[in-house]
Amino acid sequence: MVRLYWHFRTLLAWSLAVLAFIAFAVTNPAFLNAGNFYSLLQSFAILALVATGLALVMIAGEFDLSIAGTIPLAGLIAVKVGDSAGVPLGVAAAVAVAVAVGVLNGWLTAHFSVPSLAVTVGTLVLTIGIGFAVAGGKIVTLADFEPGLWLDQALGDIVSPRALIHIVLVVAAAWLMAKTWSGMKIRAVGSDRQRSSASGLPVTRVLILAFVISGLFAGVAGALQGITLASGAPGSDEASLLQAVTAAIIGGVALTGGKGSIPGVAAGAMLLSVVGNGLSLQGTSTAVIQLINGGILLLIVVIDRPLNRIVNKAVETSMSTPHPRVATNH
């Protein structure tokens, strides 16, 4: 019953995304243009990547606010180092810093039993400070535009290498959660940390893994975005954080931990991307788009509550119902 419920949450998110896509395609023929579809996939890929990393931390029962600082810091480092030492080294340096932030988040949260909200607020401020120290408060630019042009070139007129990199990482995370012991451990720790620890699961390593993946995905997103823009600036990216949280919750990730799926998160990202793209094409302001996204999130939450109660009641009933004994022949 529980498995069926979470499959339904994923199906619900994908159904809403498909309905939104059809609605915009019918009302605005320009929505189906190759150029617009390319733009849609660009926004979807980066949102899905960041939301997936955050979702793994949420499934583990924690939260990662620091991605709002990791994304611009990674872009800044990729551009700064890339301009002097080459783009590949710049991207590698940016991702390494992002992973280090993830290790710090996971280790502090697990080792000292500090709430992750407090820890990641601290690392968010830390990443912003490092960004200003690296940039000196200025916008850093990249002289070589070729790598950025290659990353964003349209393959088949609809998708770019950058988007493909993001999507491959999302698929890898989905495989990790569905097919590996590491994914099972992340879900187990998020469901009941004390029981997981008592049963011998390496809780500290599991939390570090979840935060490392979140930092890695935010770092890749920020680094490649910085290269394609050929510029980086210190600061924070609260908009990406809010979008990622919204996509994760729409996709069925529970704030209490232990529940959620990566396909569901991808569905949430697709729904937000389709709505944002379609409304922008119609000239809708960013403020109105944000209001609509908030309304979609509230609608999902309202629908989810009665369904969650039904599932919990069904689970309690099945656990309290005595199982008939099977007669055996001697």
Side-chain angles (χ1 to χ4, degrees):
M1 183 70 177
V2 175
R3 185 181 296 274
L4 179 63
Y5 168 69
W6 290 108
H7 283 320
F8 172 77
R9 283 299 307 272
T10 300
L11 179 62
L12 174 63
W14 277 114
S15 298
L16 290 174
V18 171
L19 287 174
F21 186 93
I22 294 173
F24 286 117
V26 170
T27 57
N28 190 346
F31 183 78
L32 293 177
N33 287 347
N36 187 65
F37 200 68
Y38 167 86
S39 177
L40 172 62
L41 286 180
Q42 287 286 93
S43 60
F44 161 73
I46 190 170
L47 175 56
L49 181 66
V50 176
T52 295
L54 176 61
L56 262 65
V57 174
M58 294 172 67
I59 293 172
E62 299 295 344
F63 202 83
D64 188 2
L65 292 170
S66 68
I67 60 175
T70 302
I71 293 172
L73 176 61
L76 177 63
I77 292 175
V79 171
K80 181 82 171 181
V81 176
D83 195 48
S84 57
V87 168
L89 189 58
V91 172
V95 171
V97 170
V99 168
V101 173
V103 171
L104 182 61
N105 284 333
W107 184 75
L108 290 175
T109 298
H111 189 73
F112 294 102
S113 298
V114 180
S116 56
L117 282 175
V119 170
T120 56
V121 164
T123 50
L124 169 59
V125 175
L126 177 65
T127 53
I128 294 173
I130 294 174
F132 277 100
V134 170
K138 301 177 182 179
I139 296 177
V140 178
T141 58
L142 180 65
D144 186 5
F145 291 92
E146 290 301 319
L149 293 175
W150 179 84
L151 282 171
D152 272 1
Q153 68 175 312
L155 304 176
D157 294 329
I158 59 172
V159 66
S160 69
R162 178 162 66 109
L164 287 176
I165 292 171
H166 294 346
I167 292 170
V168 166
L169 288 175
V170 172
V171 172
W175 175 82
L176 172 77
M177 293 301 294
K179 301 294 184 180
T180 70
W181 282 105
S182 295
M184 183 205 70
K185 291 174 184 176
I186 290 173
R187 204 175 298 278
V189 168
S191 297
D192 193 329
R193 185 171 304 175
Q194 290 184 346
R195 182 175 295 180
S196 298
S197 180
S199 64
L201 287 181
V203 173
T204 298
R205 290 205 298 269
V206 170
L207 289 178
I208 290 176
L209 173 63
F211 276 104
V212 163
I213 294 174
S214 179
L216 170 66
F217 284 9
V220 171
L224 297 187
Q225 186 177 56
I227 296 301
T228 58
L229 294 175
S231 65
S236 61
D237 188 358
E238 291 88 358
S240 292
L241 172 62
L242 292 175
Q243 287 283 88
V245 174
T246 304
I249 296 175
I250 288 175
V253 177
L255 291 172
T256 53
K259 300 182 182 70
S261 70
I262 304 307
V265 175
M270 179 58 77
L271 175 59
L272 294 180
S273 299
V274 168
V275 171
N277 179 275
L279 292 176
S280 297
L281 202 61
Q282 295 176 354
T284 307
S285 67
T286 302
V288 173
I289 294 174
Q290 292 297 327
L291 286 173
I292 293 174
N293 288 344
I296 293 172
L297 176 58
L298 291 176
L299 175 63
I300 294 292
V301 171
V302 169
I303 294 174
D304 180 61
R305 291 198 64 183
L307 290 173
N308 201 17
R309 284 198 296 267
I310 293 172
V311 170
N312 290 335
K313 185 176 180 180
V315 171
E316 291 172 1
T317 302
S318 65
M319 293 178 66
S320 61
T321 302
H323 297 282
R325 293 184 178 180
V326 179
T328 58
N329 295 324
H330 296 285

